[in-house]
Amino acid sequence: MRIIGQAIALAMLAAVSVQPARADEGMWLPSLISERIDDMRAKGFRLTAEDIYSINKASMKDAVVLFNGGCTGELISGEGLLLTNHHCGYDAIQTHSSVEHDYLTHGFWAMSRQQELPNKELNVRFLVRMEEVTDRIAAGETKEEIIRKAKSEGRNYRAAVEQMYYGNQQFLFVYEQFDDVRLVAAPPSSIGKFGGDTDNWIWPRHTGDFSLFRIYAGKDNKPAAYSPDNVPYRPKRHFTISTAGVREGDFTMIYGFPGNTQEYILSDAVAYVAERSDPAKIAIRTGRLDIITAAQASDPALRIHYAAKHASIANAWKKWQGEALGIGRLGTVASKRAYEEGFAAWAQDKPEYSRIVADLKAEYARIADAYFAREITRETLDALPARYTAEERAEAVFPQRKATERALCQWLFGQYARRCPVQYQVPEFLDGVAAAGSPEAYAAQIFDALWLQGADTTALHALHSDTKRMLSHIGWMLGTKSLRNLNSARLNELYTTYIKGLREWDTDRAFYPDANLTLRVAYGHVGGYEYADGEYHKPQTTLDGIIAKDNPEIYDYDIPQALRDLYASKAYGRWGTTIDGRKTVPVCFLATNHTTGGNSGSPILNARGELIGLNFDRTWRSTMSDIAFDEAICRNIAVDIRYVLFVIDRIGGADYLFDEMDFSRRK
Ligand code: ARG
Ligand code: ASP
């Protein structure tokens, strides 16, 4: 009795103090934004729910696109001009780059529509509408039927049924896809990627992470495959650009496509991420990065060769460090455990829910090793090349790579042998190690054969197919293809019930569905934060900070001469502002919006829905917000729209583009 009483007290405590959607937490469904609009308006928003999302009239959603299936972009003119991040347009920019026209290094500025560059592999999607279809599915309609009907509504329509709250609700999303999207402008990488991996996930930040594209359509303004006869798309809505500037405390809203969060997972899963998965993956990547960094430092050709590889390994590596640290600091495992105990106590006389927490825990115990093995395999054996192509072998840099590639192979084999639970180790691998004497000796054998003879040696072939077989065995065990997170078919079913129960129990909590690359609204304000005791990070950076970091000797900090000259002459034109008594140009700002991967390129809007910036990152200690949002620490990073305009004008000389934009100077 006493124990139960305590548990109930704990439950109530947990319900009020541990998990309510705090100040600026949440990624809200646009079609249900009316449920949040009072809170948004109380925090400064001046528009209505219909302005954000409407199916009867043009609304802000009509100015936002899913950019190439993984980023967000927004329309900034009535003639299809689209803004997104430099790192989102990177592939397109790279594809158009050659030694003669190195747009990555020097930037690209179309000076007329004729100069805009078509891209084969690039599309954008507008959300036509979203609607809940839970009832239709319950009434017997299949997802396939619903999708088929929706697709037939318009030319080049796409549709998907996505589950919210682990299947408690099903939503149909109908998109119109445009495939003729042309590159209009990209700043030099020394602006668009300024600070490189060193500054990635870091504040203070000075990256001008933007690029411009234009959507083209057929003469009827409908989607059309690329044709020189296509014309600029006339969107239903585009954003007005505010040049009035931002101040700490100003209301902000982000409209975009966040990819993947897991705010409702059990403490077991949080512990798995922070204590098991992240540390192992970080350690494996630390070793890889050490080997690659040493190679890059030894030889300029290797520095260039490994640049993209280094960037992609380092991005998640840094993110995981922030995530594990943040979860530890916030005590998320313990607070979630208390929350679950509270729920279990409430649920104990409710047959539907009484066993659910125990069942979830049992399923985690069943699958954790298998999923961990999968993660380790993907980070090690599966991260190695299966072959070196003839093209690669012909490159001048190829022979120089041997020592590095061999060291990587040995490191990854060693990590796999030591970290992957042995019952999930590939049999071919175990045999190879036994025969060779050690994972490193086995790696040397395999690598030397690969290096000398290509991939078609029997030993390599057997190892590769055995690895694929093991990965599919694990997939089969988990019974699901959605393996971005520790998950299984059974877990998903159990979570359906758990979340349903949580929503009955924890009535004070403002629930929002986990991010799943569907359109969401997040709102907050421009805000700095206490980085360390006594050390406050202001929310705005300026050109002065770029100049302070400028260093021609360091690749990531070597800015274009034009920017140095502008700084020297202070010829900022209309983009100059006075900040803290200095005449300067604003560059980036921090806000409290809840964002994640996929929100890159999202518009950041002021209280009137005008564009004040472009989202591109978070601070690394914020990345725990994928699991638990901490309002004291979690900050997203945006490029100030005034810096975007300054670069277009003063670096690109492409101010003709301003003619098609709408500006507002209202405070
Ligand atoms: N950290 C940002 C986001 O995940 C930007 C990544 C691109 N920039 C870079 N320097 N690697 O994904
Ligand atoms: N940089 C991320 C992106 O590319 C955004 C984030 O994780 O905050 O989507």
Side-chain angles (χ1 to χ4, degrees):
M1 203 49 214
R2 240 190 97 222
I3 293 171
I4 295 169
Q6 253 178 16
I8 291 174
L10 235 169
M12 291 172 64
L13 203 104
V16 295
S17 69
V18 182
Q19 294 279 352
R22 291 182 207 83
D24 297 328
E25 175 180 354
M27 300 174 171
W28 310 97
L29 288 170
S31 62
L32 303 179
I33 204 67
S34 57
E35 293 169 11
R36 304 303 305 173
I37 202 74
D38 289 347
D39 189 47
M40 290 178 76
R41 291 183 64 95
K43 288 173 177 161
F45 189 56
R46 309 255 192 94
L47 306 179
T48 65
E50 276 272 295
D51 292 322
I52 294 175
Y53 177 92
S54 170
I55 44 172
N56 303 312
K57 58 166 192 157
S59 60
M60 282 154 72
K61 77 144 171 62
D62 299 311
V64 181
V65 296
L66 177 64
F67 184 85
N68 219 25
C71 276
T72 305
E74 57 275 4
L75 276 292
I76 53 168
S77 92
E79 295 163 71
L81 192 61
L82 181 151
L83 181 63
T84 188
N85 289 146
H86 185 264
H87 80 261
C88 296
Y90 202 78
D91 281 348
I93 304 164
Q94 181 169 30
T95 305
H96 290 297
S97 295
S98 60
V99 180
E100 302 81 61
H101 301 285
D102 186 352
Y103 302 138
L104 275 182
T105 306
H106 304 297
F108 170 75
W109 307 94
M111 286 303 162
S112 67
R113 300 267 159 98
Q114 289 68 41
Q115 290 178 6
E116 296 173 355
L117 300 172
N119 299 284
K120 280 203 193 72
E121 307 285 330
L122 191 57
N123 66 68
V124 298
R125 285 181 180 188
F126 289 87
L127 180 66
V128 177
R129 64 171 212 277
M130 55 185 287
E131 77 191 44
E132 188 169 358
V133 292
T134 317
D135 291 347
R136 282 168 67 181
I137 289 173
E141 232 180 314
T142 65
K143 283 186 193 179
E144 291 68 31
E145 283 164 359
I146 293 173
I147 289 171
R148 190 159 13 86
K149 263 183 229 161
K151 271 163 71 171
S152 69
E153 286 170 22
R155 192 196 307 166
N156 225 21
Y157 271 27
R158 301 286 190 274
V161 172
E162 304 287 355
Q163 59 171 17
M164 302 290 161
Y165 301 114
Y166 297 87
N168 277 291
Q169 288 169 276
Q170 308 281 345
F171 278 79
L172 168 68
F173 291 83
V174 185
Y175 301 97
E176 186 176 34
Q177 177 170 314
F178 288 81
D179 297 305
D180 186 353
V181 182
R182 304 186 194 170
L183 178 64
V184 175
S189 290
S190 53
I191 288 177
K193 210 173 178 288
F194 178 76
D197 281 324
T198 320
D199 281 11
N200 190 24
W201 303 112
I202 292 287
W203 185 261
R205 188 65 155 276
H206 300 88
T207 313
D209 196 346
F210 79 92
S211 57
L212 290 165
F213 290 81
R214 190 185 304 280
I215 305 170
Y216 280 78
K219 298 225 162 53
D220 56 1
N221 207 35
K222 294 277 186 318
Y226 169 79
S227 156
D229 298 334
N230 284 349
V231 294
Y233 172 64
R234 296 182 307 281
K236 294 192 202 71
R237 255 306 289 273
H238 64 272
F239 289 112
T240 294
I241 295 170
S242 167
T243 55
V246 296
R247 263 170 312 184
E248 183 142 28
D250 284 356
F251 175 89
T252 54
M253 167 180 153
I254 294 243
Y255 212 166
F257 289 88
N260 178 29
T261 60
Q262 358 175 29
E263 309 289 343
Y264 304 101
I265 51 175
L266 236 53
S267 56
D268 304 55
V270 180
Y272 171 84
V273 170
E275 292 160 19
R276 190 173 186 194
S277 168
D278 282 353
K281 292 186 298 190
I282 292 163
I284 294 169
R285 289 197 179 198
T286 301
R288 280 171 87 185
L289 289 169
D290 286 349
I291 293 166
I292 293 173
T293 308
Q296 288 183 292
S298 74
D299 181 337
L302 293 178
R303 180 181 61 70
I304 295 166
H305 176 80
Y306 286 115
K309 182 125 212 145
H310 190 284
S312 82
I313 299 171
N315 192 42
W317 171 78
K318 209 162 182 179
K319 176 181 167 157
W320 293 328
Q321 293 178 56
E323 181 173 76
L325 191 84
I327 288 169
R329 197 185 49 79
L330 199 61
T332 307
V333 174
S335 64
K336 285 235 173 196
R337 199 165 282 148
Y339 188 71
E340 287 145 24
E341 281 164 12
F343 173 80
W346 169 84
Q348 69 174 357
D349 58 357
K350 298 177 182 62
E352 188 181 6
Y353 303 126
S354 58
R355 289 203 42 79
I356 198 74
V357 172
D359 287 350
L360 278 163
K361 286 181 180 289
E363 177 63 2
Y364 274 124
R366 184 182 81 87
I367 66 166
D369 275 357
Y371 186 75
F372 185 66
R374 181 179 186 276
E375 288 201 288
I376 297 300
T377 308
R378 297 286 296 260
E379 286 288 317
T380 55
L381 294 193
D382 215 34
L384 285 163
R387 58 182 50 77
Y388 293 104
T389 63
E391 272 171 351
E392 252 182 312
R393 288 170 178 276
E395 286 168 2
V397 73
F398 189 69
Q400 279 145 270
R401 290 170 52 196
K402 174 162 183 171
T404 311
E405 297 287 315
R406 196 172 199 270
L408 285 170
C409 188
Q410 290 187 310
W411 168 254
L412 292 175
F413 271 41
Q415 290 295 300
Y416 178 73
R418 275 164 215 120
R419 291 182 188 273
C420 183
V422 70
Q423 70 274 30
Y424 296 106
Q425 284 193 22
V426 173
E428 182 70 25
F429 182 86
L430 290 169
D431 292 348
V433 171
S438 73
E440 287 75 15
Y442 179 45
Q445 270 176 22
I446 289 270
F447 174 82
D448 291 342
L450 173 62
W451 189 261
L452 292 172
Q453 299 160 38
D456 296 327
T457 65
T458 322
L460 242 188
H461 203 76
L463 181 59
H464 274 291
S465 45
D466 233 20
T467 304
K468 297 293 177 206
R469 209 174 306 125
M470 182 57 85
L471 286 173
S472 60
H473 169 69
I474 292 171
W476 170 83
M477 254 197 83
L478 304 178
T480 173
K481 279 195 225 127
S482 116
L483 285 172
R484 284 180 305 178
N485 307 313
L486 173 56
N487 195 14
S488 71
R490 172 90 179 121
L491 267 181
N492 204 60
E493 279 169 28
L494 293 168
Y495 269 115
T496 313
T497 307
Y498 177 60
I499 301 288
K500 180 162 173 277
L502 280 189
R503 295 177 79 181
E504 283 172 35
W505 168 62
D506 190 355
T507 48
D508 288 337
R509 182 171 180 179
F511 285 86
Y512 55 93
D514 276 325
N516 56 1
L517 210 63
T518 58
L519 189 61
R520 303 298 176 93
V521 170
Y523 56 93
H525 58 271
V526 175
Y529 71 110
E530 191 170 290
Y531 172 77
D533 185 36
E535 192 176 338
Y536 189 73
H537 276 192
K538 289 198 247 177
Q540 175 105 57
T541 57
T542 66
L543 184 57
D544 296 62
I546 297 184
I547 299 301
K549 284 179 181 173
D550 177 28
N551 185 342
E553 306 286 305
I554 303 176
Y555 185 80
D556 288 341
Y557 296 108
D558 181 13
I559 60 173
Q561 187 56 37
L563 201 53
R564 292 183 192 120
D565 296 345
L566 281 166
Y567 180 75
S569 67
K570 300 276 181 294
Y572 305 148
R574 57 182 142 159
W575 314 117
T577 22
T578 303
I579 295 177
D580 294 341
R582 279 178 288 122
K583 189 179 171 201
T584 189
V585 178
V587 175
C588 290
F589 66 88
L590 277 184
T592 61
N593 300 81
H594 191 180
T595 56
T596 189
N599 270 125
S600 275
S602 298
I604 178 159
L605 307 158
N606 67 14
R608 278 186 301 271
E610 297 159 350
L611 190 67
I612 52 174
L614 180 62
N615 188 69
F616 71 100
D617 206 6
R618 286 170 286 171
T619 64
W620 66 291
R621 294 197 305 170
S622 304
T623 56
M624 65 197 250
S625 68
D626 290 355
I627 288 174
F629 186 88
D630 177 5
E631 66 168 328
I633 289 286
C634 293
R635 296 293 180 271
N636 61 305
I637 305 179
V639 202
D640 194 304
I641 199 68
R642 293 169 295 171
Y643 186 56
V644 172
L645 299 169
F646 168 79
V647 172
I648 292 174
D649 183 7
R650 293 297 158 126
I651 300 291
D655 58 331
Y656 80 95
L657 289 168
F658 298 162
D659 295 346
E660 61 184 287
M661 300 178 195
D662 296 328
F663 296 100
S664 157
R665 286 203 53 83
R666 282 193 296 171
K667 290 278 174 196

